[in-house]
Coordinates of all heavy atoms in Angstrom, one line a residue:
M1339 N -8.3 16.4 33.0 CA -7.7 17.3 32.0 C -7.7 16.7 30.6 O -7.4 15.6 30.4 CB -6.2 17.6 32.4 CG -5.6 18.6 31.5 SD -3.8 18.9 31.9 CE -3.1 17.6 31.1
T1340 N -8.2 17.5 29.6 CA -8.2 17.0 28.3 C -7.0 17.6 27.5 O -6.5 18.6 27.8 CB -9.5 17.4 27.6 OG1 -9.6 18.8 27.6 CG2 -10.7 16.8 28.2
A1341 N -6.7 16.9 26.4 CA -5.5 17.3 25.6 C -5.8 18.6 24.9 O -4.8 19.3 24.6 CB -5.1 16.2 24.7
S1342 N -7.0 18.9 24.6 CA -7.3 20.1 23.8 C -7.1 21.4 24.6 O -7.0 22.4 24.0 CB -8.7 20.0 23.3 OG -9.6 20.0 24.3
N1343 N -7.2 21.3 25.9 CA -7.2 22.6 26.6 C -6.3 22.6 27.9 O -6.7 22.9 29.0 CB -8.6 23.1 27.0 CG -9.3 22.0 27.7 OD1 -8.8 21.0 28.1 ND2 -10.6 22.2 28.0
W1344 N -5.1 22.1 27.8 CA -4.2 22.0 28.9 C -3.9 23.4 29.4 O -3.5 23.6 30.6 CB -3.0 21.2 28.7 CG -2.0 21.9 27.7 CD1 -2.0 21.7 26.3 CD2 -1.0 22.7 28.0 NE1 -1.1 22.4 25.7 CE2 -0.4 23.1 26.7 CE3 -0.4 23.3 29.1 CZ2 0.7 24.0 26.6 CZ3 0.7 24.1 29.0 CH2 1.2 24.5 27.8
K1345 N -4.0 24.5 28.6 CA -3.6 25.8 29.0 C -4.6 26.4 30.0 O -4.3 27.4 30.6 CB -3.5 26.7 27.8 CG -2.3 26.4 27.0 CD -2.0 27.3 25.9 CE -0.7 26.9 25.2 NZ -0.4 27.8 24.0
K1346 N -5.8 25.7 30.1 CA -6.7 26.2 31.1 C -6.2 26.1 32.5 O -6.5 26.8 33.4 CB -8.0 25.4 31.1 CG -9.0 25.9 30.0 CD -10.2 25.1 30.0 CE -11.2 25.6 29.0 NZ -12.4 24.8 28.9
I1347 N -5.3 25.1 32.7 CA -4.7 24.8 34.0 C -3.8 26.1 34.4 O -3.8 26.5 35.5 CB -3.8 23.6 33.9 CG1 -4.5 22.4 33.4 CG2 -3.1 23.3 35.3 CD1 -5.5 21.7 34.4
L1348 N -3.1 26.6 33.4 CA -2.3 27.8 33.6 C -3.1 29.0 34.1 O -2.7 29.8 34.9 CB -1.5 28.2 32.4 CG -0.4 27.2 32.0 CD1 0.4 27.7 30.8 CD2 0.6 27.0 33.1
R1349 N -4.3 29.1 33.5 CA -5.2 30.2 34.0 C -5.6 30.0 35.4 O -5.7 31.0 36.2 CB -6.5 30.2 33.1 CG -6.7 31.5 32.4 CD -8.0 31.5 31.6 NE -7.8 30.6 30.4 CZ -8.9 30.0 29.9 NH1 -10.1 30.1 30.4 NH2 -8.7 29.2 28.8
Q1350 N -5.8 28.7 35.8 CA -6.1 28.5 37.2 C -5.0 28.8 38.2 O -5.2 29.2 39.3 CB -6.5 27.0 37.4 CG -7.9 26.7 36.9 CD -8.3 25.2 37.1 OE1 -7.4 24.4 37.1 NE2 -9.5 24.9 37.1
L1351 N -3.7 28.6 37.7 CA -2.6 28.7 38.5 C -1.9 30.1 38.4 O -0.8 30.3 38.7 CB -1.5 27.6 38.1 CG -1.9 26.2 38.5 CD1 -0.9 25.3 37.9 CD2 -2.1 26.0 39.9
K1352 N -2.7 31.0 37.8 CA -2.1 32.4 37.6 C -1.6 33.0 38.9 O -0.6 33.7 38.9 CB -3.2 33.3 37.0 CG -2.7 34.4 36.2 CD -3.8 35.3 35.7 CE -3.8 35.4 34.2 NZ -5.0 36.2 33.7
S1353 N -2.3 32.8 40.0 CA -2.0 33.4 41.3 C -0.9 32.6 42.0 O -0.4 33.0 43.0 CB -3.2 33.5 42.2 OG -3.7 32.3 42.4
K1354 N -0.5 31.5 41.4 CA 0.6 30.6 42.0 C 1.7 30.4 41.0 O 1.7 29.3 40.4 CB 0.0 29.3 42.5 CG -1.1 29.4 43.5 CD -1.7 28.1 43.8 CE -2.8 28.2 44.8 NZ -3.6 27.0 45.0
P1355 N 2.5 31.4 40.8 CA 3.6 31.3 39.7 C 4.5 30.1 39.9 O 5.0 29.5 39.0 CB 4.3 32.6 39.8 CG 3.9 33.2 41.0 CD 2.6 32.7 41.5
E1356 N 4.8 29.8 41.2 CA 5.7 28.7 41.4 C 5.1 27.3 41.0 O 5.8 26.6 40.3 CB 6.0 28.6 42.9 CG 7.1 27.6 43.3 CD 8.5 28.0 42.9 OE1 8.7 29.3 42.7 OE2 9.4 27.2 42.8
K1357 N 3.9 27.1 41.3 CA 3.2 25.9 40.9 C 3.0 25.9 39.4 O 3.1 24.8 38.8 CB 1.8 25.8 41.6 CG 1.9 25.2 43.0 CD 0.6 24.5 43.3 CE 0.8 23.6 44.5 NZ -0.4 22.9 44.9
A1358 N 2.7 27.0 38.8 CA 2.5 27.1 37.3 C 3.8 26.7 36.6 O 3.8 25.9 35.7 CB 2.1 28.5 36.9
G1359 N 5.0 27.2 37.2 CA 6.2 26.8 36.6 C 6.5 25.3 36.7 O 7.0 24.7 35.7
K1360 N 6.2 24.7 37.8 CA 6.4 23.3 38.0 C 5.4 22.5 37.0 O 5.8 21.5 36.5 CB 6.1 22.9 39.4 CG 7.3 23.1 40.3 CD 7.1 22.6 41.7 CE 8.3 22.9 42.6 NZ 8.1 22.6 44.0
F1361 N 4.2 23.0 36.9 CA 3.3 22.3 36.0 C 3.9 22.3 34.5 O 3.8 21.3 33.9 CB 1.9 23.0 36.0 CG 1.0 22.4 35.0 CD1 0.3 21.2 35.3 CD2 0.8 23.0 33.7 CE1 -0.6 20.7 34.4 CE2 -0.1 22.4 32.8 CZ -0.8 21.2 33.2
V1362 N 4.4 23.5 34.1 CA 4.9 23.5 32.7 C 6.1 22.6 32.6 O 6.3 21.9 31.6 CB 5.3 25.0 32.4 CG1 6.1 25.0 31.1 CG2 4.1 25.9 32.3
K1363 N 6.9 22.5 33.6 CA 8.1 21.7 33.5 C 7.8 20.2 33.5 O 8.4 19.5 32.7 CB 9.0 22.0 34.7 CG 10.4 21.3 34.7 CD 11.3 21.6 35.8 CE 12.5 20.8 35.8 NZ 13.3 21.0 37.0
H1364 N 6.8 19.8 34.3 CA 6.6 18.3 34.5 C 5.4 17.8 33.8 O 5.3 16.6 33.5 CB 6.6 18.0 36.0 CG 7.8 18.3 36.7 ND1 9.0 17.6 36.5 CD2 8.1 19.3 37.6 CE1 9.9 18.1 37.3 NE2 9.4 19.1 38.0
N1365 N 4.3 18.6 33.6 CA 3.0 18.0 33.2 C 2.5 18.6 31.8 O 1.5 18.2 31.4 CB 2.0 18.3 34.2 CG 2.3 17.7 35.6 OD1 2.9 18.4 36.4 ND2 2.0 16.4 35.7
K1366 N 3.3 19.5 31.2 CA 2.8 20.0 29.9 C 2.9 18.9 28.9 O 3.9 18.2 28.8 CB 3.8 21.2 29.5 CG 3.2 22.0 28.4 CD 4.3 23.0 28.0 CE 5.1 22.4 26.9 NZ 6.0 23.3 26.2
P1367 N 1.9 18.8 28.0 CA 1.9 17.7 27.0 C 3.1 18.0 26.0 O 3.4 19.2 25.7 CB 0.6 17.9 26.3 CG -0.3 18.6 27.2 CD 0.6 19.4 28.0
K1368 N 3.7 17.0 25.5 CA 4.8 17.2 24.6 C 4.4 17.7 23.3 O 3.3 17.5 22.8 CB 5.5 15.8 24.3 CG 6.4 15.3 25.4 CD 7.0 14.0 24.9 CE 7.7 13.3 26.0 NZ 8.0 11.9 25.6
E1369 N 5.3 18.5 22.6 CA 5.1 18.9 21.2 C 5.3 17.7 20.4 O 6.4 17.1 20.4 CB 6.1 20.0 20.8 CG 5.6 21.4 20.8 CD 4.2 21.7 20.3 OE1 4.0 21.3 19.1 OE2 3.4 22.2 21.0
R1370 N 4.3 17.2 19.7 CA 4.4 16.0 18.9 C 5.0 16.3 17.5 O 4.6 17.3 16.9 CB 3.1 15.3 18.8 CG 2.5 14.9 20.1 CD 3.2 13.8 20.7 NE 2.7 13.5 22.0 CZ 3.2 12.6 22.9 NH1 4.2 11.8 22.5 NH2 2.7 12.4 24.0
K1371 N 5.9 15.3 17.0 CA 6.4 15.5 15.7 C 5.6 14.6 14.7 O 5.5 14.9 13.5 CB 7.8 15.0 15.6 CG 8.8 16.0 16.3 CD 10.2 15.4 16.3 CE 11.1 16.2 17.2 NZ 12.0 15.4 18.0
T1372 N 5.0 13.5 15.2 CA 4.2 12.6 14.4 C 3.0 12.1 15.1 O 2.9 12.4 16.3 CB 5.0 11.4 13.9 OG1 5.5 10.7 15.1 CG2 6.2 11.7 13.1
G1373 N 2.1 11.4 14.5 CA 1.1 10.7 15.2 C -0.2 11.5 15.2 O -0.3 12.6 14.7
I1374 N -1.2 10.9 15.8 CA -2.6 11.4 15.8 C -2.7 12.7 16.5 O -3.3 13.7 16.0 CB -3.6 10.4 16.4 CG1 -3.9 9.2 15.4 CG2 -4.8 11.0 16.8 CD1 -4.8 8.2 16.0
A1375 N -1.9 12.8 17.6 CA -2.1 14.0 18.4 C -1.5 15.3 17.7 O -1.8 16.4 18.2 CB -1.4 13.8 19.8
K1376 N -0.8 15.1 16.7 CA -0.3 16.3 16.0 C -1.4 17.0 15.1 O -1.4 18.2 15.0 CB 0.9 15.9 15.1 CG 1.6 17.1 14.4 CD 2.8 16.7 13.7 CE 3.4 17.8 12.8 NZ 3.8 18.9 13.5
K1377 N -2.2 16.1 14.5 CA -3.3 16.6 13.7 C -4.6 16.8 14.5 O -5.1 15.9 15.1 CB -3.5 15.7 12.5 CG -2.4 15.7 11.5 CD -2.7 14.8 10.3 CE -2.4 13.4 10.5 NZ -2.7 12.5 9.4
K1378 N -5.1 18.0 14.5 CA -6.2 18.3 15.3 C -7.2 19.1 14.4 O -6.8 19.9 13.5 CB -5.7 19.2 16.4 CG -6.6 19.3 17.6 CD -5.8 19.9 18.7 CE -6.6 20.8 19.5 NZ -5.8 21.4 20.6
C1379 N -8.5 18.9 14.6 CA -9.5 19.7 13.9 C -9.4 21.2 14.2 O -9.3 21.5 15.4 CB -10.9 19.2 14.2 SG -12.2 20.1 13.5
E1380 N -9.4 22.0 13.2 CA -9.2 23.4 13.4 C -10.5 24.0 14.0 O -10.4 25.1 14.6 CB -8.9 24.1 12.1 CG -7.5 23.9 11.7 CD -7.2 24.6 10.3 OE1 -8.1 25.1 9.7 OE2 -6.0 24.6 9.9
R1381 N -11.6 23.4 13.8 CA -12.9 23.9 14.2 C -13.3 23.5 15.6 O -13.7 24.4 16.4 CB -14.0 23.5 13.2 CG -15.3 24.2 13.3 CD -16.0 24.1 12.0 NE -17.4 24.6 12.2 CZ -18.5 23.8 12.4 NH1 -18.3 22.5 12.4 NH2 -19.7 24.2 12.6
C1382 N -13.1 22.2 15.9 CA -13.6 21.8 17.3 C -12.5 21.2 18.1 O -12.7 21.0 19.3 CB -14.7 20.7 17.1 SG -14.2 19.2 16.4
G1383 N -11.4 20.8 17.5 CA -10.3 20.3 18.4 C -10.2 18.8 18.5 O -9.5 18.2 19.3
R1384 N -11.1 18.1 17.8 CA -11.1 16.6 17.8 C -9.8 16.1 17.2 O -9.2 16.7 16.3 CB -12.2 16.1 17.0 CG -13.5 15.8 17.8 CD -14.4 14.9 17.0 NE -15.7 14.9 17.6 CZ -16.7 15.6 17.1 NH1 -16.6 16.3 16.0 NH2 -17.9 15.6 17.8
F1385 N -9.4 14.9 17.6 CA -8.2 14.2 17.0 C -8.5 13.2 16.0 O -7.8 13.0 15.1 CB -7.4 13.6 18.1 CG -6.7 14.6 19.1 CD1 -7.1 14.7 20.4 CD2 -5.7 15.4 18.6 CE1 -6.5 15.6 21.2 CE2 -5.1 16.3 19.4 CZ -5.5 16.4 20.8
G1386 N -9.7 12.6 16.1 CA -10.0 11.4 15.2 C -10.6 11.9 13.9 O -11.1 13.0 13.7
A1387 N -10.5 11.0 12.9 CA -11.2 11.1 11.6 C -10.8 12.5 10.9 O -11.6 13.3 10.6 CB -12.7 11.0 11.7
H1388 N -9.5 12.7 10.8 CA -9.0 14.0 10.3 C -9.0 14.0 8.8 O -8.6 13.0 8.2 CB -7.6 14.1 10.9 CG -7.0 15.5 10.6 ND1 -7.2 16.5 11.5 CD2 -6.3 16.0 9.6 CE1 -6.6 17.6 11.1 NE2 -6.1 17.3 10.0
I1389 N -9.5 15.1 8.2 CA -9.4 15.3 6.8 C -8.4 16.4 6.5 O -8.7 17.5 6.8 CB -10.8 15.7 6.2 CG1 -11.8 14.6 6.5 CG2 -10.7 15.9 4.7 CD1 -13.3 14.9 6.2
S1390 N -7.3 16.0 5.9 CA -6.3 17.0 5.6 C -6.2 17.3 4.1 O -5.5 18.2 3.7 CB -4.9 16.6 6.1 OG -4.6 15.3 5.6
S1391 N -7.0 16.6 3.3 CA -7.1 16.9 1.8 C -7.5 18.3 1.6 O -8.3 18.9 2.3 CB -8.0 16.0 1.1 OG -8.1 14.8 1.8
Y1392 N -6.9 18.9 0.5 CA -7.2 20.3 0.1 C -6.9 21.3 1.3 O -7.4 22.4 1.3 CB -8.7 20.5 -0.3 CG -9.1 19.4 -1.3 CD1 -10.1 18.5 -0.9 CD2 -8.6 19.4 -2.6 CE1 -10.5 17.5 -1.8 CE2 -9.1 18.4 -3.4 CZ -10.0 17.5 -3.0 OH -10.4 16.5 -3.9
G1393 N -6.1 20.9 2.2 CA -5.7 21.8 3.3 C -6.9 22.1 4.2 O -7.0 23.2 4.8
L1394 N -7.8 21.2 4.4 CA -9.0 21.5 5.2 C -8.7 21.4 6.6 O -9.1 22.3 7.4 CB -10.1 20.4 4.9 CG -10.8 20.6 3.5 CD1 -11.7 19.4 3.3 CD2 -11.7 21.8 3.5
N1395 N -8.0 20.4 7.1 CA -7.7 20.2 8.5 C -8.9 20.2 9.4 O -9.0 21.0 10.4 CB -6.7 21.2 9.0 CG -5.3 21.0 8.4 OD1 -4.9 19.8 8.1 ND2 -4.6 22.0 8.0
L1396 N -9.9 19.5 9.0 CA -11.2 19.3 9.8 C -11.4 17.9 10.1 O -10.9 17.0 9.5 CB -12.4 19.8 9.0 CG -12.4 21.3 8.5 CD1 -13.5 21.5 7.5 CD2 -12.6 22.2 9.7
C1397 N -12.3 17.7 11.1 CA -12.7 16.3 11.4 C -13.9 16.0 10.5 O -14.5 16.9 9.9 CB -13.0 16.1 12.9 SG -14.5 17.0 13.4
R1398 N -14.3 14.7 10.4 CA -15.4 14.4 9.5 C -16.7 15.0 9.9 O -17.5 15.4 9.1 CB -15.5 12.9 9.4 CG -15.9 12.2 10.6 CD -16.2 10.7 10.4 NE -16.7 10.1 11.6 CZ -17.9 10.1 11.9 NH1 -18.8 10.6 11.2 NH2 -18.3 9.5 13.0
Q1399 N -16.9 15.2 11.2 CA -18.2 15.7 11.7 C -18.3 17.2 11.3 O -19.3 17.7 10.7 CB -18.3 15.6 13.2 CG -18.5 14.2 13.7 CD -17.3 13.4 14.0 OE1 -16.2 13.8 13.5 NE2 -17.4 12.3 14.6
C1400 N -17.2 18.0 11.5 CA -17.2 19.4 11.1 C -17.3 19.5 9.6 O -18.0 20.4 9.1 CB -16.0 20.1 11.6 SG -15.9 20.3 13.3
F1401 N -16.6 18.6 8.8 CA -16.7 18.7 7.4 C -18.1 18.5 6.9 O -18.6 19.2 6.0 CB -15.8 17.6 6.8 CG -15.9 17.6 5.3 CD1 -15.3 18.6 4.5 CD2 -16.6 16.6 4.6 CE1 -15.4 18.6 3.1 CE2 -16.6 16.6 3.2 CZ -16.1 17.6 2.5
R1402 N -18.9 17.5 7.5 CA -20.2 17.3 7.1 C -21.1 18.5 7.4 O -22.0 18.9 6.6 CB -20.8 16.1 8.0 CG -20.8 14.8 7.3 CD -21.4 13.8 8.1 NE -22.9 13.9 8.1 CZ -23.7 13.1 7.4 NH1 -23.1 12.2 6.6 NH2 -25.0 13.2 7.4
E1403 N -20.8 19.2 8.5 CA -21.6 20.4 8.8 C -21.4 21.6 7.9 O -22.3 22.3 7.5 CB -21.3 20.8 10.3 CG -22.0 19.9 11.3 CD -21.5 20.2 12.7 OE1 -20.9 21.3 12.9 OE2 -21.7 19.3 13.6
I1404 N -20.1 21.8 7.5 CA -19.9 23.0 6.7 C -19.5 22.8 5.3 O -19.1 23.7 4.6 CB -18.8 23.9 7.4 CG1 -17.4 23.1 7.4 CG2 -19.2 24.2 8.8 CD1 -16.3 24.0 7.8
A1405 N -19.6 21.5 4.8 CA -19.2 21.2 3.4 C -19.9 22.1 2.4 O -19.2 22.6 1.5 CB -19.4 19.7 3.1
E1406 N -21.2 22.3 2.5 CA -21.9 23.0 1.5 C -21.5 24.5 1.5 O -21.4 25.2 0.5 CB -23.4 22.9 1.6 CG -23.8 21.5 1.1 CD -25.4 21.4 0.9 OE1 -26.0 22.5 1.1 OE2 -25.8 20.4 0.5
E1407 N -21.2 25.0 2.7 CA -20.9 26.4 2.9 C -19.5 26.7 2.2 O -19.3 27.8 1.6 CB -20.7 26.8 4.4 CG -22.1 26.8 5.1 CD -21.9 26.9 6.6 OE1 -20.9 27.6 7.0 OE2 -22.7 26.3 7.3
I1408 N -18.6 25.7 2.3 CA -17.3 26.0 1.7 C -17.2 25.5 0.3 O -16.1 25.5 -0.3 CB -16.2 25.4 2.6 CG1 -16.3 23.9 2.7 CG2 -16.1 26.1 3.9 CD1 -15.2 23.2 3.5
G1409 N -18.3 25.1 -0.3 CA -18.3 24.9 -1.8 C -18.3 23.5 -2.2 O -18.2 23.2 -3.4
F1410 N -18.5 22.5 -1.4 CA -18.5 21.1 -1.8 C -20.0 20.8 -2.1 O -20.9 21.3 -1.6 CB -18.0 20.1 -0.7 CG -16.6 20.1 -0.5 CD1 -15.9 21.1 0.3 CD2 -15.8 19.2 -1.2 CE1 -14.6 21.1 0.4 CE2 -14.4 19.2 -1.1 CZ -13.8 20.2 -0.3
K1411 N -20.1 19.9 -3.1 CA -21.5 19.5 -3.6 C -21.6 18.0 -3.7 O -20.6 17.3 -4.0 CB -21.6 20.2 -5.0 CG -23.1 20.3 -5.4 CD -23.1 21.1 -6.7 CE -24.5 21.1 -7.3 NZ -24.6 21.8 -8.6
K1412 N -22.8 17.5 -3.3 CA -23.0 16.1 -3.4 C -23.7 15.7 -4.7 O -24.7 16.3 -5.1 CB -24.0 15.8 -2.2 CG -23.7 14.4 -1.6 CD -24.5 14.2 -0.3 CE -24.4 12.8 0.2 NZ -25.2 12.7 1.4
Y1413 N -23.0 14.8 -5.4 CA -23.5 14.4 -6.7 C -24.2 13.0 -6.6 O -23.6 12.0 -6.9 CB -22.4 14.3 -7.7 CG -21.9 15.7 -8.2 CD1 -20.7 16.2 -7.7 CD2 -22.7 16.4 -9.1 CE1 -20.3 17.4 -8.1 CE2 -22.2 17.6 -9.5 CZ -21.0 18.2 -9.0 OH -20.6 19.4 -9.4
N1414 N -25.4 12.9 -6.1 CA -26.1 11.6 -6.2 C -27.6 11.8 -5.9 O -28.0 12.9 -5.5 CB -25.6 10.6 -5.2 CG -25.7 11.0 -3.8 OD1 -26.1 12.1 -3.5 ND2 -25.3 10.1 -2.9
Ligands
ZN123 ZN1 -14.1 19.3 14.1

């Protein structure tokens, strides 16, 4: 199970409501108030190398891919 898609488990347990309830009670990841796991890339869901400047909320890899589309320009 990856942190980015724990809700997939609920889709699998749709036909077993009792087990789904127990999963939510005991195994659901915590809502974080601080730390790396709170900030996530909006495009791909990565946790590392987060760029939050200018309200981007992207990882560096996604920023590199779409920087020119969203109006950033390289001066060199
Ligand atoms: Zn990304």
Side-chain angles (χ1 to χ4, degrees):
M1339 188 181 82
T1340 57
S1342 63
N1343 55 6
W1344 67 271
K1345 288 187 177 176
K1346 278 184 180 176
I1347 307 284
L1348 289 181
R1349 239 181 289 150
Q1350 284 179 336
L1351 293 174
K1352 205 182 236 177
S1353 59
K1354 299 174 179 172
E1356 188 70 22
K1357 276 207 163 182
K1360 278 185 182 175
F1361 176 81
V1362 170
K1363 186 179 177 188
H1364 298 289
N1365 299 95
K1366 193 186 90 168
K1368 278 184 194 166
E1369 262 319 302
R1370 299 289 175 183
K1371 290 179 193 139
T1372 56
I1374 283 177
K1376 186 174 169 64
K1377 290 187 273 177
K1378 202 166 139 181
C1379 175
E1380 285 177 353
R1381 193 159 168 260
C1382 68
R1384 267 196 194 102
F1385 291 113
H1388 191 87
I1389 300 172
S1390 51
S1391 328
Y1392 312 111
L1394 285 173
N1395 292 323
L1396 296 168
C1397 67
R1398 65 175 185 85
Q1399 287 90 346
C1400 289
F1401 178 73
R1402 263 182 79 99
E1403 285 170 16
I1404 64 166
E1406 284 196 1
E1407 290 168 34
I1408 57 177
F1410 285 86
K1411 202 175 172 185
K1412 212 171 176 181
Y1413 288 102
N1414 64 355

